[in-house]
PDB file of all heavy atoms in Angstrom:
ATOM      1  N   ILE A  29      -8.986  -5.823 -10.732  1.00 82.00           N
ATOM      2  CA  ILE A  29      -8.339  -5.151 -11.832  1.00 82.00           C
ATOM      3  C   ILE A  29      -6.891  -5.103 -11.594  1.00 82.00           C
ATOM      4  O   ILE A  29      -5.964  -5.381 -12.519  1.00 82.00           O
ATOM      5  CB  ILE A  29      -8.867  -3.761 -12.135  1.00 82.00           C
ATOM      6  CG1 ILE A  29     -10.385  -3.967 -12.617  1.00 82.00           C
ATOM      7  CG2 ILE A  29      -8.053  -2.998 -13.114  1.00 82.00           C
ATOM      8  CD1 ILE A  29     -11.031  -2.544 -12.492  1.00 82.00           C
ATOM      9  N   ASN A  30      -6.339  -4.887 -10.304  1.00 78.00           N
ATOM     10  CA  ASN A  30      -4.962  -4.839  -9.936  1.00 78.00           C
ATOM     11  C   ASN A  30      -4.388  -6.202 -10.258  1.00 78.00           C
ATOM     12  O   ASN A  30      -3.275  -6.307 -10.727  1.00 78.00           O
ATOM     13  CB  ASN A  30      -4.870  -4.420  -8.490  1.00 78.00           C
ATOM     14  CG  ASN A  30      -3.388  -4.242  -8.015  1.00 78.00           C
ATOM     15  OD1 ASN A  30      -2.490  -4.261  -8.858  1.00 78.00           O
ATOM     16  ND2 ASN A  30      -3.232  -4.078  -6.769  1.00 78.00           N
ATOM     17  N   GLY A  31      -5.147  -7.252  -9.922  1.00 78.00           N
ATOM     18  CA  GLY A  31      -4.524  -8.596 -10.248  1.00 78.00           C
ATOM     19  C   GLY A  31      -4.267  -8.805 -11.677  1.00 78.00           C
ATOM     20  O   GLY A  31      -3.252  -9.193 -11.973  1.00 78.00           O
ATOM     21  N   PHE A  32      -5.231  -8.536 -12.564  1.00 72.00           N
ATOM     22  CA  PHE A  32      -4.923  -8.873 -13.880  1.00 72.00           C
ATOM     23  C   PHE A  32      -4.112  -7.818 -14.675  1.00 72.00           C
ATOM     24  O   PHE A  32      -3.415  -8.024 -15.707  1.00 72.00           O
ATOM     25  CB  PHE A  32      -6.276  -9.117 -14.754  1.00 72.00           C
ATOM     26  CG  PHE A  32      -7.140  -7.995 -15.074  1.00 72.00           C
ATOM     27  CD1 PHE A  32      -6.815  -7.012 -15.956  1.00 72.00           C
ATOM     28  CD2 PHE A  32      -8.405  -7.996 -14.524  1.00 72.00           C
ATOM     29  CE1 PHE A  32      -7.722  -6.010 -16.278  1.00 72.00           C
ATOM     30  CE2 PHE A  32      -9.373  -6.991 -14.875  1.00 72.00           C
ATOM     31  CZ  PHE A  32      -9.001  -6.048 -15.705  1.00 72.00           C
ATOM     32  N   HIS A  33      -4.141  -6.566 -14.069  1.00 67.00           N
ATOM     33  CA  HIS A  33      -3.268  -5.486 -14.625  1.00 67.00           C
ATOM     34  C   HIS A  33      -1.815  -5.770 -14.331  1.00 67.00           C
ATOM     35  O   HIS A  33      -0.942  -5.512 -15.007  1.00 67.00           O
ATOM     36  CB  HIS A  33      -3.673  -4.192 -13.872  1.00 67.00           C
ATOM     37  CG  HIS A  33      -3.038  -2.916 -14.417  1.00 67.00           C
ATOM     38  ND1 HIS A  33      -1.810  -2.523 -14.007  1.00 67.00           N
ATOM     39  CD2 HIS A  33      -3.432  -2.016 -15.404  1.00 67.00           C
ATOM     40  CE1 HIS A  33      -1.486  -1.403 -14.659  1.00 67.00           C
ATOM     41  NE2 HIS A  33      -2.444  -1.099 -15.549  1.00 67.00           N
ATOM     42  N   ASP A  34      -1.535  -6.293 -13.104  1.00 67.00           N
ATOM     43  CA  ASP A  34      -0.157  -6.517 -12.594  1.00 67.00           C
ATOM     44  C   ASP A  34       0.353  -7.889 -12.741  1.00 67.00           C
ATOM     45  O   ASP A  34       1.483  -8.209 -12.515  1.00 67.00           O
ATOM     46  CB  ASP A  34       0.005  -6.100 -11.147  1.00 67.00           C
ATOM     47  CG  ASP A  34       0.030  -4.496 -11.010  1.00 67.00           C
ATOM     48  OD1 ASP A  34      -0.211  -3.800 -12.095  1.00 67.00           O
ATOM     49  OD2 ASP A  34       0.302  -4.162  -9.934  1.00 67.00           O
ATOM     50  N   THR A  35      -0.509  -8.868 -13.143  1.00 64.00           N
ATOM     51  CA  THR A  35      -0.169 -10.296 -13.252  1.00 64.00           C
ATOM     52  C   THR A  35       1.074 -10.466 -14.185  1.00 64.00           C
ATOM     53  O   THR A  35       1.991 -11.255 -13.860  1.00 64.00           O
ATOM     54  CB  THR A  35      -1.303 -11.135 -13.884  1.00 64.00           C
ATOM     55  OG1 THR A  35      -2.399 -10.986 -12.993  1.00 64.00           O
ATOM     56  CG2 THR A  35      -0.954 -12.611 -14.048  1.00 64.00           C
ATOM     57  N   ALA A  36       0.995  -9.793 -15.337  1.00 64.00           N
ATOM     58  CA  ALA A  36       2.091  -9.949 -16.268  1.00 64.00           C
ATOM     59  C   ALA A  36       3.507  -9.650 -15.706  1.00 64.00           C
ATOM     60  O   ALA A  36       4.512 -10.263 -16.071  1.00 64.00           O
ATOM     61  CB  ALA A  36       1.831  -9.026 -17.529  1.00 64.00           C
ATOM     62  N   ASN A  37       3.507  -8.841 -14.668  1.00 70.00           N
ATOM     63  CA  ASN A  37       4.705  -8.566 -14.027  1.00 70.00           C
ATOM     64  C   ASN A  37       5.466  -9.843 -13.332  1.00 70.00           C
ATOM     65  O   ASN A  37       6.657  -9.989 -13.410  1.00 70.00           O
ATOM     66  CB  ASN A  37       4.581  -7.425 -13.006  1.00 70.00           C
ATOM     67  CG  ASN A  37       4.001  -6.222 -13.617  1.00 70.00           C
ATOM     68  OD1 ASN A  37       4.452  -5.702 -14.573  1.00 70.00           O
ATOM     69  ND2 ASN A  37       2.872  -5.813 -13.025  1.00 70.00           N
ATOM     70  N   ALA A  38       4.501 -10.625 -12.968  1.00 74.00           N
ATOM     71  CA  ALA A  38       5.067 -11.806 -12.298  1.00 74.00           C
ATOM     72  C   ALA A  38       5.202 -13.059 -13.320  1.00 74.00           C
ATOM     73  O   ALA A  38       6.127 -13.792 -13.065  1.00 74.00           O
ATOM     74  CB  ALA A  38       4.098 -12.353 -11.230  1.00 74.00           C
ATOM     75  N   VAL A  39       4.354 -13.098 -14.294  1.00 78.00           N
ATOM     76  CA  VAL A  39       4.399 -14.275 -15.135  1.00 78.00           C
ATOM     77  C   VAL A  39       5.003 -13.958 -16.584  1.00 78.00           C
ATOM     78  O   VAL A  39       5.199 -14.900 -17.303  1.00 78.00           O
ATOM     79  CB  VAL A  39       2.966 -14.799 -15.371  1.00 78.00           C
ATOM     80  CG1 VAL A  39       2.368 -15.321 -13.984  1.00 78.00           C
ATOM     81  CG2 VAL A  39       2.077 -13.793 -16.121  1.00 78.00           C
ATOM     82  N   ALA A  40       5.346 -12.758 -16.878  1.00 76.00           N
ATOM     83  CA  ALA A  40       5.819 -12.472 -18.219  1.00 76.00           C
ATOM     84  C   ALA A  40       7.038 -13.211 -18.559  1.00 76.00           C
ATOM     85  O   ALA A  40       7.076 -13.832 -19.622  1.00 76.00           O
ATOM     86  CB  ALA A  40       6.157 -10.923 -18.249  1.00 76.00           C
TER      87      ALA A  40
END
Side-chain angles (χ1 to χ4, degrees):
I29 293 167
N30 186 8
F32 71 69
H33 187 275
D34 286 6
T35 297
N37 304 309
V39 300

